[in-house]
Amino acid sequence: MDTDKKHKVSLVLGSGGARGLAHIGVIEWLNENNFAIRSISGSSMGALIGGIYAAGKLDIYKNWVRALERKDVIRLLDLSFGRTGLFKGERIINALKELIGERNIEDLPISFTAVATDIDTEKEVWLSKGPLFDAIRASIAIPTIFTPFKHEGKQLLDGGLVNPIPIAPTLRDLTDMTIAVNLSGKDSVWQNKPTDTEDTSSHEKKYRNSISEFIAGLHRMIEAKEPEDMGLFEIMSQSIDTMQNTIASFKLASYSPDVIINIPKNACRFFEFEKADEMIEIGRRKAQESLSNL
């Protein structure tokens, strides 16, 4: 179809860890249903997915992430021996560079802005030029998990700290509508959850046994001793989730995009990247629910 006859869209992709894989399903549904994405603003996982799509490589990334198992996710984490974060994040970024190729944001066919947080000034930083994966690395620098990213004299952390759903960078876009994908939607009862008979702790032990002893040792160190307690990593991820959910509600109320696609916050846990297929399908379904009447 002639792109001039399509709905021209500014797309805002929110932060939320592995739930951000739903962005893939949203983008696919838009492309299949008379929408032309002309501008993308993303925070954290939204910046990663949005940047890769703007580079024209979303299908490659989708196939790669769908093949990931838990042990693969753990092996992408490179331990940092500093005091500013558990992992350096270089291994993940290098894997993505090999997969996607290095690009500059200003050379992308779609306008793209990644949002990060300047930890010293406590303000958001918009990254809309320079190396794509520098912007992505800065935007995904989850506090205590990844070390800060140094950029032009600034210490940058995850954009979700101050703006988990960055609508403001799209306000001057000459498009027909702004669509925001919020990864902090209300819990949904139709999500697939473990049954009462499923031994979750046993499942966790199985995947830990399949990874290297070094990484397994790290996980055993930060896991809680009692099954009913939360491990350190779980506490960190849920704390970040809670903060971002609260900020997202204020941002949506302040800027009022034309359409909000809400992904349930209980769709998956922050770090469950092995649920790619499920999250992509949820993204497609929620996009259809929110936009099919258009």
Side-chain angles (χ1 to χ4, degrees):
M1 180 178 291
D2 187 346
T3 56
D4 290 336
K5 296 181 180 180
K6 291 187 175 183
H7 301 289
K8 299 177 182 65
V9 170
S10 295
L11 184 61
V12 180
L13 302 178
S15 63
R19 289 196 303 279
L21 294 170
H23 293 321
I24 298 174
V26 171
I27 290 171
E28 288 181 339
W29 191 91
L30 291 173
N31 285 334
E32 294 165 5
N33 289 275
N34 204 32
F35 295 88
I37 301 169
R38 296 294 177 84
S39 170
I40 296 177
S41 174
S43 189
S44 196
M45 193 62 181
L48 190 151
I49 299 294
I52 291 174
Y53 173 73
K57 303 290 185 178
L58 189 60
D59 285 344
I60 294 174
Y61 174 78
K62 174 185 173 181
N63 292 334
W64 177 75
V65 77
R66 288 179 64 207
L68 287 179
E69 298 179 359
R70 290 192 178 191
K71 60 184 179 181
D72 301 314
V73 175
I74 300 303
R75 285 171 177 160
L76 286 170
L77 300 176
D78 42 0
L79 191 66
S80 169
F81 293 96
R83 295 178 296 175
T84 57
L86 288 174
F87 307 105
K88 293 181 287 186
E90 294 175 4
R91 191 174 296 167
I92 292 174
I93 293 300
N94 288 336
L96 292 173
K97 285 181 179 178
E98 291 181 10
L99 192 70
I100 307 302
E102 298 195 51
R103 304 283 294 276
N104 284 332
I105 296 174
E106 56 266 36
D107 297 330
L108 300 177
I110 296 173
S111 174
F112 172 71
T113 302
V115 175
T117 300
D118 185 334
I119 195 61
D120 295 317
T121 64
E122 301 178 1
K123 295 180 179 180
E124 63 186 90
V125 176
W126 296 359
L127 302 169
S128 55
K129 62 180 180 179
L132 172 63
F133 283 102
D134 282 0
I136 290 173
R137 171 62 180 86
S139 191
I140 66 170
I142 304 168
T144 72
I145 297 176
F146 290 117
T147 57
F149 183 75
K150 295 180 180 179
H151 178 74
E152 297 182 352
K154 299 181 178 71
Q155 294 263 67
L156 301 182
L157 286 173
D158 193 300
L161 290 174
V162 293
N163 198 347
I165 186 159
I167 300 166
T170 69
L171 293 180
R172 294 186 179 181
D173 290 346
L174 300 177
T175 53
D176 300 324
M177 66 178 67
T178 298
I179 298 173
V181 185
N182 173 34
L183 301 181
S184 303
K186 293 181 179 179
D187 288 354
S188 176
V189 296
W190 54 261
Q191 300 300 331
N192 293 326
K193 296 182 179 180
T195 63
D196 293 338
T197 59
E198 183 178 352
D199 185 355
T200 303
S201 62
S202 175
H203 183 66
E204 295 291 326
K205 290 177 183 177
K206 288 180 181 178
Y207 95 79
R208 282 204 301 269
N209 288 337
S210 68
I211 64 177
S212 68
E213 281 302 313
F214 179 73
I215 298 296
L218 175 64
H219 263 249
R220 284 193 294 270
M221 179 183 69
I222 65 176
E223 284 290 324
K225 294 182 179 180
E226 297 298 328
E228 65 271 15
D229 290 340
M230 296 168 62
L232 175 61
F233 192 74
E234 183 82 9
I235 290 174
M236 287 190 298
S237 63
Q238 289 205 18
S239 297
I240 293 169
D241 248 356
T242 300
M243 176 192 66
Q244 291 186 355
N245 294 346
T246 302
I247 299 173
S249 64
F250 284 109
K251 293 293 183 181
L252 289 171
S254 299
Y255 290 103
S256 299
D258 298 295
V259 178
I260 302 172
I261 299 173
N262 288 304
I263 306 300
K265 62 179 181 292
N266 69 333
C268 75
R269 291 187 292 177
F270 196 85
F271 50 87
E272 290 183 311
F273 286 90
E274 73 277 6
K275 291 188 175 182
D277 282 332
E278 180 180 342
M279 292 311 306
I280 292 169
E281 178 57 30
I282 289 172
R284 295 181 68 92
R285 192 180 311 179
K286 289 299 182 180
Q288 181 175 5
E289 290 176 6
S290 302
L291 290 159
S292 58
N293 61 336
L294 294 178

